[in-house]
């Protein structure tokens, strides 16, 4: 009798742990670009493995990484690679970390739907965004002043665009800096001479996406999930999850799920580009 | 016994009241102290990140570069060394990410253990190169010349016109455009709110029928309760396209849009306080004026307004003081381009908008972080000056 009770107790204690091997409790913080994707992934994960609790918040890539350093988040989501000084700070604090690319994001260059220009080379984009081309007629459009819209200087999207399209040059001082991607879409849709850049997931029918050429005008490629995935569309970037090596066990089930076929399908559904197998 | 109990109870209440007010005052002082400690740190920071170095060939005659020059070189506005006091040779840029163009992975070692030597070698072979890399990779026997880190100067900070806080290698913290942008939007808001506020205050305080007054007053006070982000959204969707159409502009996000939104936000404060000032005019003055044969309007203009002048001015200063620190609404409608404004129909960038937009992603304790706190100090000083002005104007009323 005693033995059976003992065994039953053991089983009843072990059963939940066995069943809930994939039950996780942790926080994700960082890039606003990754926010809709991580939220959707976390929601479906929590539905699939009840009892899990994943809290996803935004704030920006820098916020996420500094929170990882201060221990207020378990995963930092970032739309840019960790910076050298951030890496050094992690090293100083004695915190080893790992990185995982969980999706790709393509940036679309958008203009007002009435704009006649439908394609630009990287060099033309550089001149427009750094302020040396200021009128649409210089790139084959009508005689109209170009209004440059950009994200705020601290956004990961801003830095990616600066590095990959502007050849690391600074944006023109006259560029209008918007606090959110949604505001760029709104402003570009109501301003005739506007040009801006947004993540593929934010592309709407109220604006027109341009085809971009990175080989001086030989081939122009339209931004889409397909062209970003086969790497013909040049303005795309990886999205990262950073986590401490010490908490790898805790976050692993979630990461595995995101990288699984099901998780990558969600990546597609939200408008991002899956990681190539 | 009962009296004693009451005495003790009173003592305890007194103690609670005392400690709560002390805690509040202490908290305010600590916040200000923190603000100044973080903000003043900007002048001991360097525009080139301390963990990185800028190096040139040992025979390069250039010994020092200003922040603007470094910015110009890496932005490729400056292409030749003679523009910054060197020889007439074109400048070759090198950042750590380009190491792959010069050496393959094998040469650098699996853990990049040969990287410092290779960077050293590269610079020794390239007399016209300027290299920017982490000082982690600075070889012990480095043969090139490491340029000194310049501290951010006071004039560079206050009179600088470029605001590129995240630019590498040399971030540019020139806040002149931000200060002017803030003052410009505020000036516009004053010009709009002053006549409207005054007229409404006179109407509600003097002219309106009591029934109208009891309808208007709560309505205006309700305006004060609307969250600022709602004003901002309203501005972006209604005012911005309206300005764009009315003035036939290329872009509607302008200082004027910011001024209009701020004026609307400042109006409830202005009207409420100005109207109170008007209504506190002693009945004896009013009756004396009317008894002398003055009409209602003459009494308002000649007696009531002069009497309540200081109260009305205080109302404006308080209203504007509230508006000047407003973030969300302005952030959404002014376009935030860091340029010196010349008309009201251009985009501007204000101090509160800059802090709100950038603090979230500025690395904690870094130069950018400190620069934003320094902006906070300036904003604090501006609003403090406004509030002090009220203190000076108000006592005149009691005379």
């Amino acid at each position: 009798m005693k033995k059976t009770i003992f065994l039953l107790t053991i089983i009843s204690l072990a059963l939940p742990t066995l069943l809930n091997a994939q039950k996780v409790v942790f926080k994700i913080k960082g890039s606003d670009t990754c926010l809709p994707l991580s939220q959707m992934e976390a929601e479906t994960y929590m539905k699939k493995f009840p009892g899990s609790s994943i809290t996803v918040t935004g704030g920006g890539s820098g916020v996420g990484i500094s929170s990882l350093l201060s221990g207020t988040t378990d995963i930092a989501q970032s739309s840019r690679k960790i910076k050298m000084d951030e890496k050094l700070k992690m090293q100083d604090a004695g915190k080893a970390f790992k990185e995982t690319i969980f999706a790709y994001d393509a940036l679309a260059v958008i203009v007002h739907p009435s704009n006649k220009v439908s394609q630009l080379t990287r060099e033309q984009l550089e001149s427009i965004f750094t302020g040396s081309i200021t009128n649409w007629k210089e790139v084959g459009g009508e005689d109209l002043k170009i209004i440059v819209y950009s994200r705020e200087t601290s956004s990961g999207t801003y830095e990616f665009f600066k590095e990959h399209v502007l050849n690391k040059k600074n944006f023109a001082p006259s560029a209008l800096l918007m606090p959110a991607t949604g505001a760029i879409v709104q402003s570009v849709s109501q301003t005739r001479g506007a040009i801006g850049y947004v993540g593929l997931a934010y592309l709407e029918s109220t604006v027109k996406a341009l085809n971009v050429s990175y080989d001086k005008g030989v081939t122009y490629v339209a931004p889409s999930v397909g062209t970003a995935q086969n790497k013909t569309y040049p303005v795309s970037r990886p999205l990262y999850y950073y986590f401490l090596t010490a908490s790898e066990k805790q976050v692993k089930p979630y990461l595995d799920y995101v990288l699984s076929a099901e998780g990558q399908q969600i990546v597609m559904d939200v408008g991002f580009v899956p990681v190539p197998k | 016994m009962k009296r004693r109990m009451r005495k003790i109870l009173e003592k305890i209440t007194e103690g609670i009241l005392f400690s709560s007010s002390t805690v509040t005052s202490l908290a305010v002082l600590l916040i200000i102290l923190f603000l100044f400690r973080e903000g003043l740190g900007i002048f001991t920071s360097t525009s080139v990140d301390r963990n990185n170095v800028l190096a040139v060939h040992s025979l390069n005659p250039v010994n020092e570069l200003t922040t603007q020059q470094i910015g110009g070189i890496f932005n490729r506005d400056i292409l030749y060394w003679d523009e910054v006091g060197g020889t007439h040779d074109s400048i070759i840029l090198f950042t750590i990410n380009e190491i792959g163009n010069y050496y393959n992975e094998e040469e650098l070692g699996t853990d990049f253990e040969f990287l410092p030597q290779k960077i050293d070698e590269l610079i020794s072979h390239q007399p016209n190169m300027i290299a920017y890399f982490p000082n982690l990779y600075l070889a012990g026997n480095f043969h090139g010349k490491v340029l000194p880190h310049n501290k951010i100067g006071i004039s560079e900070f206050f009179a600088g016109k470029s605001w590129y806080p995240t630019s590498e290698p040399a971030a540019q913290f020139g806040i002149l455009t931000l200060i002017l942008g803030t003052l410009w939007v505020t000036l516009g808001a004053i010009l709009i709110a002053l006549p409207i506020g005054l007229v409404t205050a006179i109407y509600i305080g003097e002219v309106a029928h009591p029934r109208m007054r009891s309808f208007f007053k709560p309505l205006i006070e309700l305006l004060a309760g609307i969250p600022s982000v709602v004003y901002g959204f309203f501005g972006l969707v209604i005012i911005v396209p309206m300005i764009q159409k009315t003035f036939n502009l290329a872009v509607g996000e302008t200082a004027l849009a910011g001024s209009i939104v701020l004026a609307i936000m400042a109006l409830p404060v202005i009207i409420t306080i100005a109207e109170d000032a008007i209504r506190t005019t002693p009945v004896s003055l009013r009756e004396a004026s009317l008894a002398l044969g003055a009409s209602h309007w003459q009494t308002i203009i000649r007696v009531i307004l002069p009497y309540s002048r200081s109260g009305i001015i205080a109302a404006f200063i308080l209203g504007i003081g509230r508006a000047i620190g407003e973030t969300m609404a302005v952030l959404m409608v002014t376009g935030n381009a860091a340029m010196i404004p010349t008309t009201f129909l251009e985009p501007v960038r204000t101090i509160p908008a800059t802090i709100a937009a950038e603090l979230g992603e500025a690395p904690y304790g870094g130069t950018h972080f400190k620069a934003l706190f320094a902006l906070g100090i300036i904003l604090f000083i501006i609003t403090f000056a406004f509030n002090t002005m009220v203190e000076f104007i108000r006592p005149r009323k009691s005379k």
Side-chain angles (χ1 to χ4, degrees), chain A residues 1-14:
Chain A
M1 186 61 196
K2 252 188 185 168
K3 228 176 180 177
T4 17
I5 290 175
F6 180 73
L7 260 174
L8 274 174
T9 332
I10 291 282
I11 289 169
S12 62
L13 277 176

Side-chain angles (χ1 to χ4, degrees), chain A residues 59-63 84 89 147 149 152-154 162 167-179 187 190-191, chain B residues 75-76 95 98 134 136-137 164-167 236 241 244 250-251 253 331 335-339 349 357-358 360-361 364:
Chain A
S61 303
V63 172
M84 204 57 188
K89 265 184 203 152
I147 308 293
Y149 283 92
E152 277 292 348
T153 52
S154 38
K162 182 176 163 183
N167 203 3
K168 289 184 200 157
K169 292 186 183 176
N170 279 328
F171 279 82
S174 59
L176 284 86
L177 305 184
M178 307 307 275
S187 293
Q190 64 192 33
T191 309
Chain B
N75 211 21
R76 265 144 292 170
T95 57
E98 286 148 21
L136 198 68
Y137 301 130
Y164 287 111
T166 55
S167 177
L236 183 63
Q244 196 174 345
V251 54
E253 282 103 340
L331 182 66
N336 302 319
M339 283 189 306
R349 191 173 179 86
E358 295 175 9
E361 297 227 17
Y364 180 82

